[in-house]
Amino acid sequence: MEEQYTNYTPQDFKSDQEVRWCPGCGDHAILNAVIKALPEVSKELKYDMERYVFVSGIGCSSRFPYYVNTFGFHGIHGRAAAIATGVKVANPTLSVWQVSGDGDALAIGGNHFIHAVRRNIDINILLFNNQIYGLTKGQYSPTSPLGAITKTSPYGTVEHPFRPGELVIGAQGKFFARSLDVDVKLTKEILVEAAKHDGTSVVEILQNCVIFNDGAYSHITDRENREDRVIVLRHGEKMIFGKNRDKGLVLSGLSLKVVKIGEGGFTMDDILVHDAYNPNPGIHMMLANMQYPDYPVALGVIRNVKDSTYDDNVRDQVLEVMKNSKIKCVDDLLNSGDTWEL
């Protein structure tokens, strides 16, 4: 008889709660991608529904646990990574998903975020990046572009923004991917890969806030120009892009360079092949940092490297200590030091 987890459908992962995001918000598409990805994750990894836990902090994205039919924890501002870490270490068999916005994860939650990445805890972090604080009505965030005019920067921000990919890889991150909210199919594909990765996976989803930052990514999301302005990376495939699939990336010295195939002496043989599994983060960092108009924006799984995880290391250490310890019970502990009779 076929196991239940092979028969799940997206409908199984929809909760009965009313989804309360603004009409047109990119969060709707991300939710759609997640509930489409979870049945495939369950089938590939043989996970029952009871293994999933969604953890969030504060923000529009942080309503997410209410909208998926799984276990969930709606935490406090910036602490989603700390809670997700505790859940995973306490019960390593769970599939833990953290949902955070760019403000929740990278401002008040920045320290928790980088250390979860550094420790390589086996959690999946979905970073909804709309470059604004949406729930609190339009203040600039850690990813708002320099000069952005917002409620708290009426003359333009004077701060340089974080680049989430650079931050993740700089914190020794082993998995980083990026998608667009409007591309549900690609987001689903990435989420399945993130779930299969053993360690911290960070998926940055470029998400539109229709109310306070509408069109932040329109230069790369509109159908007319998207194929010329983004590059979808897949391990083992050539780094080519464009409507006519005639543009590609080559290494020029220590930098990436966009070339047109068939011009300037460049052929298909010159185009780089994406190696997401390369432990050296150099090319991955350059890919994560590419920005339009000088480069296409990189989408897909940019980095996917195996390494030991925090939760596995904790388990192995505890087992080793238990194996070698002379203390096997509470009585052994109470009698392990100096004792006196009074």
Side-chain angles (χ1 to χ4, degrees):
M1 181 176 178
E2 196 171 25
E3 296 288 350
Q4 175 62 40
Y5 44 70
T6 65
N7 296 319
Y8 290 139
T9 68
Q11 191 64 36
D12 292 319
F13 290 95
K14 285 185 178 180
S15 80
D16 60 358
Q17 299 299 299
E18 178 186 359
V19 179
R20 295 187 177 183
W21 286 317
C22 301
C25 173
D27 289 0
H28 291 282
I30 301 172
L31 174 61
N32 192 21
V34 169
I35 64 174
K36 286 184 175 183
L38 292 180
E40 189 169 329
V41 172
S42 295
K43 186 174 183 178
E44 289 203 30
L45 299 180
K46 297 181 172 55
Y47 284 176
D48 290 320
M49 288 184 65
E50 289 76 11
R51 288 185 74 161
Y52 295 103
V53 181
F54 278 77
V55 177
S56 66
I58 294 295
C60 296
S61 65
S62 296
R63 297 174 179 175
F64 210 92
Y66 298 102
Y67 304 149
V68 285
N69 186 27
T70 66
F71 291 113
F73 196 111
H74 191 171
I76 59 177
H77 202 193
R79 311 307 175 203
I83 296 167
T85 296
V87 170
K88 185 64 181 182
V89 174
N91 190 343
T93 64
L94 294 175
S95 178
V96 182
W97 298 72
Q98 175 192 332
V99 181
S100 293
D102 48 297
D104 183 59
L106 304 181
I108 188 171
N111 231 25
H112 293 304
F113 178 82
I114 61 172
H115 291 297
V117 171
R118 175 183 64 84
R119 290 167 175 150
N120 201 30
I121 300 159
D122 188 22
I123 59 176
N124 308 297
I125 301 176
L126 308 188
L127 177 60
F128 294 23
N129 185 1
N130 57 20
Q131 300 183 343
I132 202 77
Y133 279 96
L135 187 69
T136 49
K137 308 302 183 284
Q139 301 88 347
Y140 71 87
S141 82
T143 59
S144 297
L146 180 67
I149 295 175
T150 73
K151 296 286 184 64
T152 47
S153 58
Y155 304 108
T157 70
V158 294
E159 298 183 9
H160 293 279
F162 271 139
R163 296 178 181 179
E166 183 177 47
L167 189 64
V168 169
I169 296 172
Q172 302 176 47
K174 301 301 184 289
F175 186 106
F176 176 74
R178 184 186 291 127
S179 190
L180 303 173
D181 56 1
V182 296
D183 197 335
V184 174
K185 183 179 179 181
L186 178 61
T187 304
K188 173 197 167 186
E189 176 186 322
I190 290 171
L191 294 176
V192 172
E193 291 304 308
K196 289 159 63 176
H197 175 76
D198 191 16
T200 306
S201 64
V202 179
V203 180
E204 178 191 18
I205 306 173
L206 307 183
Q207 175 250 330
N208 191 49
C209 176
V210 71
I211 303 299
F212 295 107
N213 201 20
D214 192 24
Y217 300 109
S218 59
H219 59 293
I220 59 171
T221 58
D222 73 283
R223 293 185 181 276
E224 182 65 25
N225 298 306
R226 189 189 308 176
E227 291 181 344
D228 285 321
R229 297 179 179 180
V230 303
I231 181 170
V232 179
L233 300 171
R234 291 185 174 89
H235 176 75
E237 296 185 8
K238 292 278 187 178
M239 299 186 195
I240 58 175
F241 67 103
K243 289 181 181 178
N244 300 318
R245 304 292 289 169
D246 60 350
K247 300 175 185 177
L249 296 176
V250 299
L251 194 60
S252 177
L254 298 177
S255 302
L256 294 175
K257 179 180 179 181
V258 176
V259 300
K260 192 163 186 180
I261 300 168
E263 295 184 3
F266 292 102
T267 68
M268 185 66 75
D269 292 338
D270 297 308
I271 305 302
L272 291 172
V273 174
H274 182 45
D275 182 4
Y277 304 152
N278 187 349
N280 189 319
I283 297 290
H284 297 160
M285 183 73 82
M286 289 190 279
L287 291 168
N289 279 342
M290 292 194 308
Q291 293 183 322
Y292 179 79
D294 296 322
Y295 295 95
V297 174
L299 306 177
V301 178
I302 295 172
R303 181 167 172 81
N304 186 358
V305 176
K306 291 183 179 180
D307 204 346
S308 63
T309 67
Y310 178 87
D311 31 302
D312 284 350
N313 291 341
V314 168
R315 177 204 61 205
D316 292 346
Q317 185 180 69
V318 169
L319 291 174
E320 184 66 21
V321 170
M322 290 173 61
K323 176 183 175 182
N324 297 321
S325 177
K326 296 179 180 179
I327 298 171
K328 305 298 182 183
C329 62
V330 174
D331 284 344
D332 291 343
L333 176 63
L334 294 176
N335 291 297
S336 61
D338 295 330
T339 61
W340 296 268
E341 290 186 10
L342 300 179

